[in-house]
Structures are given as C-alpha cells and as structure tokens.
C-alpha cells in the first residue's frame, strides 16, 4: 500500500491523544517510583509483574541513572553472585571472574528498561518529582510532578499532583524525596539513629553493599527508600561501581511496597 501524504496535524494529534490516554491512567496509581536507576527500574518491573499500576518518573531524558557511567566512564559494572540471577533473568550477559561478574553498562540499561516496559511499567522521562502529598494518618499518598525542563530553566510553573498508594524514593545519592519530607513536615522523623537523612559515608564496598538491602525500608508511612538513597538515609558507605546491591535493593523495595499496598489496598 502506498504511503498517504503526511499530515503534520495528524502527527501532532496522534502524539497528544496517545499521551493524554496513558497519562490519564496514572493519575491514580498503586506505586510511584522516583528515579530510573537500577533500583527504581528493578522495583518497577517486579511490581508491575504483579499487575499493579506502576510509574517511574525520571527528570532526565535518559533512563539508567548511574549505570551508564560504569566506573569512571569505563562502560562496565560489576556485580556479585547474589545479584547474578536477577540480572540473568532479564537476559543481561555476565562475564564471570572468581565470584565477580562484569556487565556492559549500555546492555544493562537497555535490558532493565525493556524488561520493565514489557512488565507494564510506564516510564515518564523529563518529569521531575518535586514533592509528595501527605494526608490522613500522615501517610504519603502521591507525588507532585513538573517537567524536568521547567526545573532546569528555573521557571515558576505550578505542578500537577498524582495519587499513589506507595512512593519509592530511588533518587540515588541525593535521597531527594526523603529529604523533602523531613524539610516540609515539622517534627517528622525517620527510623534512623537521628531521625534525619545524614547522607552516605565514605567508600567501603563490602559494608556499603552489605547494608543496602537492610536499609531498604519504609522510612515514613507510604514512603520507601531504595538504592543509594537508602544508604544516604541510613548513613551507610558508598560502594563505587559494584551494582549488585542496587538490583537487590530494588527487589527488597518491591517486597516492602507489596506490604504497603496490602495494608492500604490497590488503587
Ligand atoms: C525525578 C529524579 C529525581 C527527582 C533524582 O543514581 P541512580 O542510578 O540511583 P540508584 O540508587 O538506582 O543507583 C545508584 C548507582 O547508580 C550509584 O550511583 C552508585 C552505585 N554509586 C556508588 C558510588 O560510590 O558512587 O538513579 C537515580 C535517578 C537518576 O536518573 C536521577 O536523574 C533521578 O533518579 N532523579 N528523577 N525526580 N526528584 N531525583
């Protein structure tokens, strides 16, 4: 069949209509995940696999967070035995060396992203979460979003709000969502030693990786911290380009989120 003459108006309407339809479905979500790094993408894939309505919000135009840069821009990451299965189940090829496994950064981003999308996750790039909503019983019950471009340009544009039964802070080193809750709720305290977000400690791969899954917790009703954000919240060390803990933290975050959904009911 010959191509029809192209209509710019038709192209525009297809984009707008498709976006509006999909966006309409996330106004009331089960789980909102902030940050499309390894922890966020893994948690999202597993939760969407349960049939939950899951969205990932990523302020940059690219997903993958810190995976791309590998170690000092060498595009490779290393994982340990405990993370092998979670990577191999989505087809990431690993090069084995005495209990360490090396993966290509680009392949890792591509396969984590593709597996999440195939599981039903909606990924919104160029969208920044600037706040959360907090209601009855002081529970986090949604995210407040704006275009990343608005944030980068420093424009004064009011955001939109989306409801969610559970929010996962997978924003990496900055632990932005957790910090925001403490800043905005007078007297709010987390389950950490000082109740705050002390930030990560200096590099120690063994201790940092060892602490990560245990640090992946519901730190405030309805708010789970995952990935590097969990180590920032619980003052555990950074670990450099060993990434196994990030994937395992994503798995743990999915378990914690399931318990929250069971407590609060699905959207
Ligand atoms: C929307 C946001 C917002 C926001 C941030 O940094 P990430 O890759 O996070 P993790 O925890 O999945 O993985 C950490 C790992 O990449 C790492 O940094 C390691 C292992 N470091 C060790 C070391 O020693 O340094 O991804 C977080 C994502 C990024 O893409 C951000 O752009 C995004 O979150 N993000 N998106 N709204 N408010 N804040």
């Amino acid at each position: 069949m010959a191509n029809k003459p192209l209509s710019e108006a038709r192209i525009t309407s297809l984009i707008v209509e498709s976006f509006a339809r999909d966006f309409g479905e996330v106004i009331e979500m089960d789980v909102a995940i902030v940050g499309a790094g390894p922890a966020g993408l893994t948690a999202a894939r597993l939760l969407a696999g349960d049939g939950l309505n899951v969205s990932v919000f990523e302020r940059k135009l690219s997903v993958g967070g810190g995976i791309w840069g590998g170690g000092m821009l060498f595009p490779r990451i290393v994982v340990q035995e405990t993370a092998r299965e979670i990577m191999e189940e989505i087809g990431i090829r690993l090069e084995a060396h005495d209990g360490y496994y090396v993966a290509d950064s680009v392949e890792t981003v591509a396969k984590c992203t593709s597996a999440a999308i195939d599981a039903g996750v909606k990924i919104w790039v160029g969208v920044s979460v600037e706040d959360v909503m907090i209601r009855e019983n002081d529970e986090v019950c949604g995210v407040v979003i704006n275009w990343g471009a608005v944030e980068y340009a420093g424009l004064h544009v009011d955001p939109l709000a989306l409801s969610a039964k559970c929010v996962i802070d997978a924003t990496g080193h900055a632990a932005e969502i957790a910090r925001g809750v403490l800043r905005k709720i007078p007297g709010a305290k987390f389950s950490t030693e000082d109740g705050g977000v002390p930030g990560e400690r200096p590099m120690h791969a063994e201790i940092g990786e060892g602490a990560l899954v245990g640090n992946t917790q519901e730190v405030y009703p309805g708010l789970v911290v995952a990935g590097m954000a969990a180590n920032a919240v619980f003052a555990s060390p950074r670990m450099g380009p060993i990434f196994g803990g990030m994937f395992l933290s994503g798995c743990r975050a999915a378990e914690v989120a399931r318990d929250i959904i069971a407590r609060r009911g699905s959207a």
Side-chain angles (χ1 to χ4, degrees), residues 33-41 57-60 62-68 124 127-131 151-152 169-177 200 203 209 212 226-230 237-243 246-247 249:
I33 299 179
V34 191
L41 288 174
F57 300 93
E58 169 55 56
R59 69 152 57 97
K60 295 184 183 157
S62 61
V63 293
I67 301 172
W68 295 106
W124 305 93
V127 176
S128 200
V129 173
E130 54 177 59
D131 213 343
E151 183 186 55
Y152 289 126
D169 179 345
T171 61
H173 294 261
E176 279 190 29
I177 308 304
E200 75 204 27
M203 172 111 60
E209 284 286 280
L212 194 42
M228 205 56 219
R238 67 188 301 186
M239 67 296 289
I242 176 121
F243 273 71
M246 300 302 147
F247 296 100
S249 170

Short mmCIF file of all heavy atoms in Angstrom, two decimals, residues 33-41 57-60 62-68 124 127-131 151-152 169-177 200 203 209 212 226-230 237-243 246-247 249, ligand 1:
data_model
loop_
_atom_site.label_atom_id
_atom_site.label_comp_id
_atom_site.label_asym_id
_atom_site.label_seq_id
_atom_site.Cartn_x
_atom_site.Cartn_y
_atom_site.Cartn_z
N ILE A 33 7.39 5.54 41.45
CA ILE A 33 8.82 5.36 41.73
C ILE A 33 9.56 6.57 41.18
O ILE A 33 9.38 6.94 40.02
CB ILE A 33 9.32 4.05 41.09
CG1 ILE A 33 8.54 2.87 41.72
CG2 ILE A 33 10.83 3.89 41.28
CD1 ILE A 33 8.89 1.51 41.19
N VAL A 34 10.36 7.17 42.03
CA VAL A 34 11.09 8.37 41.60
C VAL A 34 12.52 7.97 41.31
O VAL A 34 13.27 7.57 42.21
CB VAL A 34 11.05 9.47 42.69
CG1 VAL A 34 11.57 10.78 42.10
CG2 VAL A 34 9.65 9.62 43.26
N GLY A 35 12.91 8.08 40.04
CA GLY A 35 14.28 7.75 39.64
C GLY A 35 14.34 6.45 38.86
O GLY A 35 13.91 5.40 39.34
N ALA A 36 14.90 6.52 37.64
CA ALA A 36 15.00 5.35 36.76
C ALA A 36 16.41 4.80 36.73
O ALA A 36 16.97 4.50 35.67
CB ALA A 36 14.53 5.71 35.35
N GLY A 37 17.03 4.68 37.91
CA GLY A 37 18.32 3.99 38.02
C GLY A 37 18.06 2.50 38.23
O GLY A 37 16.92 2.03 38.11
N PRO A 38 19.12 1.73 38.56
CA PRO A 38 18.94 0.28 38.70
C PRO A 38 17.94 -0.10 39.78
O PRO A 38 17.14 -1.03 39.59
CB PRO A 38 20.35 -0.21 39.06
CG PRO A 38 21.11 1.00 39.51
CD PRO A 38 20.51 2.16 38.77
N ALA A 39 17.93 0.60 40.90
CA ALA A 39 17.00 0.25 41.99
C ALA A 39 15.55 0.52 41.56
O ALA A 39 14.67 -0.33 41.72
CB ALA A 39 17.35 1.01 43.26
N GLY A 40 15.32 1.70 41.01
CA GLY A 40 13.95 2.07 40.60
C GLY A 40 13.42 1.17 39.50
O GLY A 40 12.27 0.72 39.56
N LEU A 41 14.23 0.91 38.48
CA LEU A 41 13.77 0.09 37.36
C LEU A 41 13.48 -1.35 37.80
O LEU A 41 12.54 -1.98 37.33
CB LEU A 41 14.80 0.08 36.23
CG LEU A 41 14.93 1.40 35.43
CD1 LEU A 41 16.10 1.30 34.44
CD2 LEU A 41 13.64 1.72 34.68
N PHE A 57 9.17 7.96 37.39
CA PHE A 57 9.36 9.35 36.97
C PHE A 57 10.85 9.65 36.99
O PHE A 57 11.52 9.46 38.01
CB PHE A 57 8.60 10.30 37.90
CG PHE A 57 7.13 10.02 37.90
CD1 PHE A 57 6.56 9.17 38.84
CD2 PHE A 57 6.32 10.54 36.92
CE1 PHE A 57 5.21 8.86 38.82
CE2 PHE A 57 4.96 10.24 36.88
CZ PHE A 57 4.41 9.40 37.83
N GLU A 58 11.35 10.13 35.85
CA GLU A 58 12.79 10.38 35.71
C GLU A 58 12.98 11.78 35.15
O GLU A 58 12.48 12.10 34.07
CB GLU A 58 13.41 9.32 34.78
CG GLU A 58 14.82 9.62 34.32
CD GLU A 58 15.80 9.85 35.47
OE1 GLU A 58 15.92 8.98 36.34
OE2 GLU A 58 16.45 10.93 35.48
N ARG A 59 13.72 12.62 35.87
CA ARG A 59 13.83 14.01 35.45
C ARG A 59 14.66 14.20 34.18
O ARG A 59 14.43 15.14 33.42
CB ARG A 59 14.40 14.88 36.56
CG ARG A 59 15.84 14.67 36.92
CD ARG A 59 16.46 15.97 37.48
NE ARG A 59 15.77 16.49 38.62
CZ ARG A 59 16.10 16.29 39.89
NH1 ARG A 59 17.16 15.56 40.18
NH2 ARG A 59 15.42 16.81 40.87
N LYS A 60 15.60 13.29 33.94
CA LYS A 60 16.40 13.42 32.72
C LYS A 60 15.65 12.82 31.54
O LYS A 60 14.67 12.12 31.72
CB LYS A 60 17.72 12.68 32.89
CG LYS A 60 18.60 13.29 33.96
CD LYS A 60 19.92 12.57 34.01
CE LYS A 60 20.76 13.14 35.13
NZ LYS A 60 21.78 12.18 35.58
N SER A 62 17.04 10.63 29.71
CA SER A 62 17.53 9.25 29.60
C SER A 62 17.27 8.50 30.89
O SER A 62 17.40 9.06 31.98
CB SER A 62 19.03 9.24 29.30
OG SER A 62 19.72 9.86 30.36
N VAL A 63 16.93 7.23 30.75
CA VAL A 63 16.80 6.36 31.92
C VAL A 63 18.16 5.72 32.21
O VAL A 63 19.08 5.82 31.41
CB VAL A 63 15.76 5.24 31.67
CG1 VAL A 63 14.37 5.82 31.54
CG2 VAL A 63 16.12 4.44 30.42
N GLY A 64 18.28 5.06 33.36
CA GLY A 64 19.51 4.31 33.66
C GLY A 64 20.32 4.89 34.81
O GLY A 64 21.18 4.21 35.36
N GLY A 65 20.08 6.14 35.17
CA GLY A 65 20.78 6.75 36.30
C GLY A 65 22.29 6.60 36.16
O GLY A 65 22.88 6.91 35.14
N GLY A 66 22.90 6.03 37.20
CA GLY A 66 24.36 5.93 37.25
C GLY A 66 24.92 4.71 36.53
O GLY A 66 26.15 4.52 36.55
N ILE A 67 24.06 3.91 35.90
CA ILE A 67 24.60 2.70 35.25
C ILE A 67 25.50 3.08 34.06
O ILE A 67 26.58 2.52 33.87
CB ILE A 67 23.48 1.77 34.73
CG1 ILE A 67 22.57 1.32 35.88
CG2 ILE A 67 24.07 0.55 34.03
CD1 ILE A 67 21.33 0.55 35.41
N TRP A 68 25.04 4.06 33.27
CA TRP A 68 25.76 4.41 32.03
C TRP A 68 27.24 4.63 32.26
O TRP A 68 28.07 4.20 31.47
CB TRP A 68 25.20 5.71 31.44
CG TRP A 68 23.80 5.67 30.97
CD1 TRP A 68 22.72 6.23 31.59
CD2 TRP A 68 23.30 5.06 29.77
NE1 TRP A 68 21.59 6.00 30.86
CE2 TRP A 68 21.90 5.29 29.74
CE3 TRP A 68 23.88 4.35 28.73
CZ2 TRP A 68 21.09 4.84 28.71
CZ3 TRP A 68 23.07 3.90 27.70
CH2 TRP A 68 21.70 4.14 27.70
N TRP A 124 8.13 7.77 32.65
CA TRP A 124 7.92 9.16 32.22
C TRP A 124 9.25 9.87 32.32
O TRP A 124 9.72 10.18 33.43
CB TRP A 124 6.87 9.83 33.11
CG TRP A 124 5.59 9.05 33.13
CD1 TRP A 124 5.24 8.09 34.04
CD2 TRP A 124 4.52 9.10 32.18
NE1 TRP A 124 4.02 7.55 33.71
CE2 TRP A 124 3.54 8.16 32.58
CE3 TRP A 124 4.29 9.87 31.03
CZ2 TRP A 124 2.37 7.96 31.86
CZ3 TRP A 124 3.12 9.67 30.33
CH2 TRP A 124 2.17 8.72 30.75
N VAL A 127 10.45 14.17 33.51
CA VAL A 127 9.47 14.56 34.54
C VAL A 127 10.14 14.45 35.91
O VAL A 127 10.69 13.41 36.26
CB VAL A 127 8.22 13.64 34.50
CG1 VAL A 127 7.27 13.99 35.64
CG2 VAL A 127 7.51 13.77 33.16
N SER A 128 10.08 15.54 36.63
CA SER A 128 10.72 15.61 37.94
C SER A 128 9.67 15.54 39.03
O SER A 128 8.61 16.14 38.90
CB SER A 128 11.44 16.96 38.00
OG SER A 128 12.42 16.92 38.96
N VAL A 129 9.98 14.81 40.10
CA VAL A 129 9.08 14.82 41.26
C VAL A 129 9.61 15.89 42.20
O VAL A 129 10.75 15.81 42.68
CB VAL A 129 9.03 13.43 41.95
CG1 VAL A 129 8.24 13.49 43.25
CG2 VAL A 129 8.41 12.41 40.99
N GLU A 130 8.80 16.90 42.43
CA GLU A 130 9.30 18.00 43.27
C GLU A 130 8.78 17.93 44.69
O GLU A 130 9.25 18.65 45.56
CB GLU A 130 9.04 19.38 42.62
CG GLU A 130 7.64 19.69 42.22
CD GLU A 130 7.51 21.11 41.66
OE1 GLU A 130 8.18 21.45 40.67
OE2 GLU A 130 6.74 21.89 42.25
N ASP A 131 7.84 17.02 44.94
CA ASP A 131 7.23 16.98 46.26
C ASP A 131 6.40 15.70 46.39
O ASP A 131 6.18 15.03 45.38
CB ASP A 131 6.27 18.18 46.37
CG ASP A 131 6.18 18.73 47.77
OD1 ASP A 131 6.59 18.02 48.70
OD2 ASP A 131 5.70 19.86 47.92
N GLU A 151 12.12 22.72 35.68
CA GLU A 151 13.06 22.75 36.81
C GLU A 151 14.43 23.28 36.34
O GLU A 151 15.01 24.16 36.97
CB GLU A 151 13.17 21.34 37.35
CG GLU A 151 14.05 21.18 38.57
CD GLU A 151 14.19 19.70 38.92
OE1 GLU A 151 14.59 18.90 38.05
OE2 GLU A 151 13.89 19.36 40.06
N TYR A 152 14.93 22.73 35.22
CA TYR A 152 16.25 23.17 34.74
C TYR A 152 16.26 24.66 34.41
O TYR A 152 17.23 25.36 34.63
CB TYR A 152 16.68 22.37 33.49
CG TYR A 152 17.04 20.92 33.79
CD1 TYR A 152 16.43 19.87 33.10
CD2 TYR A 152 18.00 20.59 34.75
CE1 TYR A 152 16.76 18.54 33.37
CE2 TYR A 152 18.32 19.26 35.03
CZ TYR A 152 17.69 18.24 34.33
OH TYR A 152 18.01 16.94 34.60
N ASP A 169 11.41 6.20 46.89
CA ASP A 169 12.47 7.17 46.61
C ASP A 169 13.68 6.38 46.11
O ASP A 169 14.41 5.77 46.90
CB ASP A 169 12.82 7.95 47.89
CG ASP A 169 13.95 8.97 47.67
OD1 ASP A 169 14.65 8.88 46.63
OD2 ASP A 169 14.14 9.84 48.53
N ALA A 170 13.88 6.40 44.79
CA ALA A 170 15.05 5.74 44.18
C ALA A 170 15.87 6.81 43.47
O ALA A 170 16.31 6.64 42.33
CB ALA A 170 14.60 4.64 43.23
N THR A 171 16.06 7.95 44.15
CA THR A 171 16.70 9.11 43.52
C THR A 171 18.22 9.09 43.65
O THR A 171 18.88 10.08 43.33
CB THR A 171 16.16 10.43 44.10
OG1 THR A 171 16.44 10.48 45.51
CG2 THR A 171 14.67 10.59 43.89
N GLY A 172 18.80 8.00 44.16
CA GLY A 172 20.25 7.91 44.23
C GLY A 172 20.82 8.68 45.41
O GLY A 172 20.14 8.89 46.43
N HIS A 173 22.08 9.11 45.25
CA HIS A 173 22.83 9.73 46.35
C HIS A 173 22.04 10.86 47.06
O HIS A 173 22.19 11.04 48.26
CB HIS A 173 24.13 10.33 45.82
CG HIS A 173 25.09 9.30 45.31
ND1 HIS A 173 26.15 8.82 46.06
CD2 HIS A 173 25.16 8.64 44.13
CE1 HIS A 173 26.83 7.92 45.36
NE2 HIS A 173 26.25 7.79 44.18
N ALA A 174 21.24 11.60 46.31
CA ALA A 174 20.60 12.80 46.88
C ALA A 174 19.45 12.47 47.84
O ALA A 174 19.10 13.30 48.68
CB ALA A 174 20.09 13.68 45.75
N ALA A 175 18.87 11.30 47.72
CA ALA A 175 17.68 10.92 48.54
C ALA A 175 16.70 12.10 48.59
O ALA A 175 16.24 12.51 49.65
CB ALA A 175 18.11 10.49 49.95
N GLU A 176 16.36 12.61 47.43
CA GLU A 176 15.63 13.88 47.35
C GLU A 176 14.25 13.84 47.98
O GLU A 176 13.81 14.82 48.59
CB GLU A 176 15.43 14.26 45.87
CG GLU A 176 16.63 14.92 45.29
CD GLU A 176 16.33 15.52 43.92
OE1 GLU A 176 15.18 15.91 43.64
OE2 GLU A 176 17.28 15.59 43.14
N ILE A 177 13.56 12.73 47.80
CA ILE A 177 12.18 12.69 48.28
C ILE A 177 12.17 12.58 49.80
O ILE A 177 11.42 13.27 50.49
CB ILE A 177 11.41 11.52 47.61
CG1 ILE A 177 11.57 11.59 46.09
CG2 ILE A 177 9.96 11.49 48.04
CD1 ILE A 177 11.13 12.91 45.46
N GLU A 200 25.39 9.57 52.87
CA GLU A 200 26.22 8.35 52.81
C GLU A 200 27.57 8.58 53.47
O GLU A 200 28.00 9.71 53.65
CB GLU A 200 26.42 7.96 51.33
CG GLU A 200 27.42 8.86 50.64
CD GLU A 200 27.24 8.93 49.13
OE1 GLU A 200 26.13 8.73 48.63
OE2 GLU A 200 28.24 9.23 48.47
N MET A 203 33.59 5.60 50.90
CA MET A 203 33.58 4.32 50.17
C MET A 203 34.08 3.15 51.01
O MET A 203 35.15 3.19 51.60
CB MET A 203 34.48 4.48 48.94
CG MET A 203 34.72 3.21 48.20
SD MET A 203 33.98 3.10 46.58
CE MET A 203 34.66 4.43 45.63
N GLU A 209 27.61 -2.39 50.42
CA GLU A 209 26.75 -3.37 49.74
C GLU A 209 25.99 -4.22 50.76
O GLU A 209 24.83 -4.53 50.59
CB GLU A 209 27.58 -4.28 48.84
CG GLU A 209 28.03 -3.62 47.55
CD GLU A 209 26.87 -3.47 46.56
OE1 GLU A 209 26.51 -4.43 45.88
OE2 GLU A 209 26.34 -2.34 46.48
N LEU A 212 22.87 -2.42 52.24
CA LEU A 212 21.87 -1.81 51.36
C LEU A 212 20.47 -2.44 51.44
O LEU A 212 19.46 -1.72 51.53
CB LEU A 212 22.41 -1.86 49.92
CG LEU A 212 21.74 -1.04 48.85
CD1 LEU A 212 21.38 0.34 49.32
CD2 LEU A 212 22.66 -0.96 47.65
N ALA A 226 15.10 3.29 48.47
CA ALA A 226 15.76 2.17 47.78
C ALA A 226 17.04 2.65 47.12
O ALA A 226 17.21 3.84 46.85
CB ALA A 226 14.82 1.60 46.72
N GLY A 227 17.95 1.70 46.86
CA GLY A 227 19.19 2.03 46.16
C GLY A 227 20.07 2.95 47.00
O GLY A 227 20.04 2.93 48.24
N MET A 228 20.83 3.77 46.30
CA MET A 228 21.79 4.64 47.01
C MET A 228 21.09 5.56 48.00
O MET A 228 21.68 5.93 49.03
CB MET A 228 22.57 5.44 45.96
CG MET A 228 23.92 5.90 46.40
SD MET A 228 24.99 4.56 46.95
CE MET A 228 25.77 5.36 48.35
N ALA A 229 19.83 5.90 47.72
CA ALA A 229 19.08 6.76 48.66
C ALA A 229 18.95 6.08 50.02
O ALA A 229 18.98 6.75 51.06
CB ALA A 229 17.70 7.08 48.09
N ALA A 230 18.83 4.74 50.01
CA ALA A 230 18.69 4.02 51.29
C ALA A 230 19.98 4.13 52.10
O ALA A 230 19.95 4.30 53.32
CB ALA A 230 18.32 2.57 51.03
N PRO A 237 28.05 3.33 53.91
CA PRO A 237 29.05 3.76 52.92
C PRO A 237 28.58 3.66 51.47
O PRO A 237 27.70 2.87 51.15
CB PRO A 237 30.20 2.76 53.14
CG PRO A 237 29.98 2.17 54.48
CD PRO A 237 28.50 2.19 54.72
N ARG A 238 29.21 4.45 50.61
CA ARG A 238 29.09 4.26 49.16
C ARG A 238 29.94 3.06 48.78
O ARG A 238 30.76 2.59 49.61
CB ARG A 238 29.51 5.52 48.42
CG ARG A 238 30.99 5.85 48.54
CD ARG A 238 31.33 7.20 47.98
NE ARG A 238 30.96 7.29 46.57
CZ ARG A 238 31.24 8.34 45.80
NH1 ARG A 238 31.93 9.36 46.29
NH2 ARG A 238 30.88 8.37 44.54
N MET A 239 29.79 2.59 47.56
CA MET A 239 30.48 1.34 47.20
C MET A 239 31.14 1.37 45.84
O MET A 239 31.70 0.36 45.41
CB MET A 239 29.51 0.16 47.28
CG MET A 239 28.39 0.17 46.29
SD MET A 239 27.28 1.57 46.50
CE MET A 239 26.43 1.17 48.00
N GLY A 240 31.12 2.52 45.14
CA GLY A 240 31.73 2.55 43.82
C GLY A 240 30.95 1.69 42.83
O GLY A 240 29.78 1.37 43.07
N PRO A 241 31.61 1.28 41.74
CA PRO A 241 30.85 0.67 40.62
C PRO A 241 30.52 -0.81 40.80
O PRO A 241 30.49 -1.55 39.81
CB PRO A 241 31.77 0.91 39.42
CG PRO A 241 33.13 0.95 40.01
CD PRO A 241 33.00 1.52 41.39
N ILE A 242 30.28 -1.24 42.03
CA ILE A 242 29.72 -2.58 42.22
C ILE A 242 28.22 -2.37 42.42
O ILE A 242 27.81 -1.61 43.29
CB ILE A 242 30.38 -3.37 43.37
CG1 ILE A 242 29.68 -4.71 43.59
CG2 ILE A 242 30.42 -2.61 44.68
CD1 ILE A 242 30.61 -5.88 43.44
N PHE A 243 27.41 -2.97 41.57
CA PHE A 243 25.99 -2.60 41.48
C PHE A 243 25.02 -3.65 42.00
O PHE A 243 23.81 -3.43 41.98
CB PHE A 243 25.63 -2.29 40.02
CG PHE A 243 25.88 -0.87 39.62
CD1 PHE A 243 27.18 -0.40 39.47
CD2 PHE A 243 24.83 0.00 39.40
CE1 PHE A 243 27.42 0.92 39.11
CE2 PHE A 243 25.05 1.32 39.03
CZ PHE A 243 26.36 1.78 38.88
N MET A 246 22.26 -2.60 44.29
CA MET A 246 21.20 -1.74 43.75
C MET A 246 20.05 -2.58 43.21
O MET A 246 18.87 -2.28 43.42
CB MET A 246 21.75 -0.84 42.62
CG MET A 246 22.85 0.08 43.06
SD MET A 246 22.33 1.18 44.39
CE MET A 246 23.86 1.34 45.29
N PHE A 247 20.40 -3.67 42.50
CA PHE A 247 19.35 -4.55 41.97
C PHE A 247 18.62 -5.27 43.10
O PHE A 247 17.40 -5.39 43.10
CB PHE A 247 19.96 -5.55 40.97
CG PHE A 247 20.56 -4.87 39.77
CD1 PHE A 247 21.92 -4.65 39.67
CD2 PHE A 247 19.74 -4.41 38.74
CE1 PHE A 247 22.46 -3.99 38.58
CE2 PHE A 247 20.27 -3.76 37.64
CZ PHE A 247 21.64 -3.55 37.56
N SER A 249 18.36 -4.25 46.16
CA SER A 249 17.56 -3.26 46.89
C SER A 249 16.24 -3.02 46.16
O SER A 249 15.19 -2.86 46.79
CB SER A 249 18.37 -1.96 47.01
OG SER A 249 17.54 -0.92 47.49
C1 LIG B 1 12.83 12.57 39.06
C2 LIG B 1 14.94 12.08 39.83
C3 LIG B 1 14.77 12.95 40.92
C4 LIG B 1 13.53 13.63 41.04
C5 LIG B 1 16.76 12.11 41.07
O1 LIG B 1 21.56 7.45 40.84
P1 LIG B 1 20.74 6.32 40.36
O2 LIG B 1 21.36 5.37 39.42
O3 LIG B 1 20.13 5.58 41.64
P2 LIG B 1 20.24 4.07 42.21
O4 LIG B 1 20.14 4.20 43.66
O5 LIG B 1 19.27 3.21 41.49
O6 LIG B 1 21.70 3.57 41.80
C6 LIG B 1 22.81 4.17 42.34
C7 LIG B 1 24.03 3.95 41.43
O7 LIG B 1 23.76 4.45 40.15
C8 LIG B 1 25.18 4.70 42.03
O8 LIG B 1 25.14 5.92 41.98
C9 LIG B 1 26.24 4.01 42.73
C10 LIG B 1 26.30 2.52 42.75
N1 LIG B 1 27.13 4.73 43.34
C11 LIG B 1 28.17 4.26 44.16
C12 LIG B 1 29.17 5.36 44.45
O9 LIG B 1 30.09 5.09 45.26
O10 LIG B 1 29.07 6.46 43.90
O11 LIG B 1 19.43 6.88 39.65
C13 LIG B 1 18.67 7.88 40.26
C14 LIG B 1 17.84 8.55 39.18
C15 LIG B 1 18.69 9.47 38.28
O12 LIG B 1 18.47 9.10 36.94
C16 LIG B 1 18.16 10.88 38.57
O13 LIG B 1 18.13 11.70 37.43
C17 LIG B 1 16.76 10.58 39.06
O14 LIG B 1 16.91 9.38 39.82
N2 LIG B 1 16.20 11.58 39.96
N3 LIG B 1 14.01 11.89 38.90
N4 LIG B 1 12.58 13.42 40.09
N5 LIG B 1 13.28 14.46 42.05
N6 LIG B 1 15.91 12.95 41.68
#
